[in-house]
Amino acid sequence: MSTTEERGGRACVSCGIDVSGTNAARFKCPDCGAQIYRCATCRKQSNLYECPDCGFTGP
């Protein structure tokens, strides 16, 4: 079970804000397939993210 699922909500993996009801991206980790959420601000700024399950990092 991923860290996001344990929290029970959808949080941006880069900054941690709740992304429910916002213009956030949802995608699967390219390495392990875990669900990843990123807020619009972190996507626009190209902030790095790290998969909570496998540690894969991306822009």
Side-chain angles (χ1 to χ4, degrees):
M1 180 179 286
S2 73
T3 305
T4 303
E5 290 172 0
E6 290 171 4
R7 283 187 234 156
R10 296 183 217 169
C12 174
V13 298
S14 297
C15 69
I17 67 164
D18 182 13
V19 297
S20 298
T22 65
N23 187 20
R26 177 182 75 176
F27 58 95
K28 294 186 181 211
C29 172
D31 203 31
C32 72
Q35 195 70 46
I36 293 177
Y37 297 94
R38 295 192 71 209
C39 72
T41 302
C42 287
R43 286 185 302 141
K44 185 175 182 180
Q45 294 176 352
S46 298
N47 294 343
L48 293 178
Y49 69 88
E50 182 176 338
C51 176
D53 288 349
C54 71
F56 175 85
T57 58

